[in-house]
Amino acid sequence: MPRSRDGLCAAGEWHQLKPLFPPLQEKTVLDLGCGYGWHCSYAVEQGVVQVLGIDLSSKMIEEAKRRNAQRQIEYRVCGIEEYTYPKNRWDLVVSNLALHYIENIDLIFKKCTKR
Ligand SMILES: C[S@@+](CC[C@H](N)C(=O)[O-])C[C@H]1O[C@@H](n2cnc3c(N)ncnc32)[C@H](O)[C@@H]1O
């Protein structure tokens, strides 16, 4: 697919998602279902100090490490349901085209917003 090769500029939804990002300078970001890590990489370009990208698929994580490997990014093989969501850890939680895989999505929203 073009997006696999060319990243966000080839992703049809990116022109709608991009304006929703707040200023990211000095922020920390968690990416749920990060795939190849395109949004992690975008966050780094915007000045974040730390990004964690999690994905259930070790193959996706391997590829993310190969394609988008800035030093601010950590990738981890981990399910969205299994992640521990430490309180007050992340300034922004982002997820693109992954939450529809989750059965109890309300629970994930609660874990992300719990303070
Ligand atoms: C369509 S891709 C989107 C990848 C990336 N967010 C993007 O927009 O380029 C969906 C990703 O969600 C991951 N995924 C699906 N179910 C998941 C789960 N329960 N926990 C973590 N990742 C999951 C898949 O492995 C896949 O990498």
Side-chain angles (χ1 to χ4, degrees):
M1 285 177 79
R3 61 184 302 143
S4 305
R5 193 186 55 231
D6 301 328
L8 294 179
C9 59
E13 75 286 359
W14 180 232
H15 71 285
Q16 289 181 311
L17 182 60
K18 187 179 178 184
L20 301 179
F21 277 78
L24 291 176
Q25 199 71 37
E26 302 298 315
K27 302 292 187 193
T28 60
V29 173
L30 171 65
D31 185 351
L32 303 177
C34 64
Y36 288 174
W38 299 115
H39 299 87
C40 299
S41 179
Y42 173 75
V44 170
E45 286 166 18
Q46 299 306 303
V48 299
V49 288
Q50 195 182 13
V51 191
L52 174 62
I54 66 168
D55 201 289
L56 206 49
S57 161
S58 56
K59 286 193 174 159
M60 296 303 260
I61 290 293
E62 258 175 49
E63 202 57 32
K65 285 179 179 170
R66 205 172 64 77
R67 292 171 186 241
N68 290 298
Q70 295 98 318
R71 64 173 169 76
Q72 296 91 336
I73 307 174
E74 178 194 345
Y75 291 111
R76 197 181 296 171
V77 177
C78 177
I80 292 169
E81 301 94 327
E82 282 72 49
Y83 183 67
T84 52
Y85 300 89
K87 283 184 193 173
N88 301 317
R89 177 66 184 82
W90 303 104
D91 295 310
L92 176 74
V93 182
V94 64
S95 189
N96 189 56
L97 304 179
L99 290 180
H100 56 288
Y101 292 112
I102 306 303
E103 206 172 314
N104 191 349
I105 197 170
D106 286 342
L107 181 62
I108 302 304
F109 286 142
K110 274 189 196 134
K111 286 180 177 180
C112 289
T113 54
K114 204 166 62 178
R115 299 252 164 205

